[in-house]
Amino acid sequence: FFFDGKPKHDCWFDMELTALNCKIHCSFIPVSKKDPLDDLINDSYELISKHNIKADYINEYLIQKENGVNGVVFDVEGSVASNFQFYLTDSTDHFFRGSLYFNSKVRADSIAPVAEFMKKEIMQIIETFEWK
């Protein structure tokens, strides 16, 4: 738990992959007057920009699916805390964000095989993602 014992939003959770020593931190936030889409997107860009100090580069890939799921994937190269992040939205009601973190000191070369595997797994999540 964060924020004095309870999460800021009801739908913050981690997908823990113990065998690979990593987690995908996930958050779902309904788009609202309190949390407008522009603010949620700006927060995502602000969080990814914190990696600029250690990142060799950051590639952004636009997601536009026929089922109304849109977003951006951030692929970060270098010894950074989170080398793969994304957000998905329908632009009106839903905003979902995910960040891959390893539970150890990150050295890009030592985690490369697992990081590449996890990127493919996360892309599979994104490709099959839909709003219900």
Side-chain angles (χ1 to χ4, degrees), residues 30-45:
V31 176
S32 66
K33 286 183 181 181
K34 179 183 162 220
D35 291 307
L37 181 62
D38 287 345
D39 288 358
L40 297 169
I41 291 172
N42 287 338
D43 287 348
S44 292
Y45 276 93

Side-chain angles (χ1 to χ4, degrees), residues 38-49 74 85-87 95-97:
D38 287 345
D39 288 358
L40 297 169
I41 291 172
N42 287 338
D43 287 348
S44 292
Y45 276 93
E46 185 177 320
L47 288 168
I48 199 70
S49 73
F74 302 96
Q85 299 184 27
F86 66 94
Y87 72 82
F95 187 87
F96 182 81
R97 187 172 191 291

Side-chain angles (χ1 to χ4, degrees), residues 75-105:
D75 188 2
V76 185
E77 290 295 322
S79 294
V80 296
S82 176
N83 65 350
F84 204 69
Q85 299 184 27
F86 66 94
Y87 72 82
L88 302 171
T89 183
D90 64 358
S91 301
T92 57
D93 298 312
H94 307 293
F95 187 87
F96 182 81
R97 187 172 191 291
S99 304
L100 174 64
Y101 284 91
F102 287 89
N103 299 322
S104 61
K105 185 174 180 176

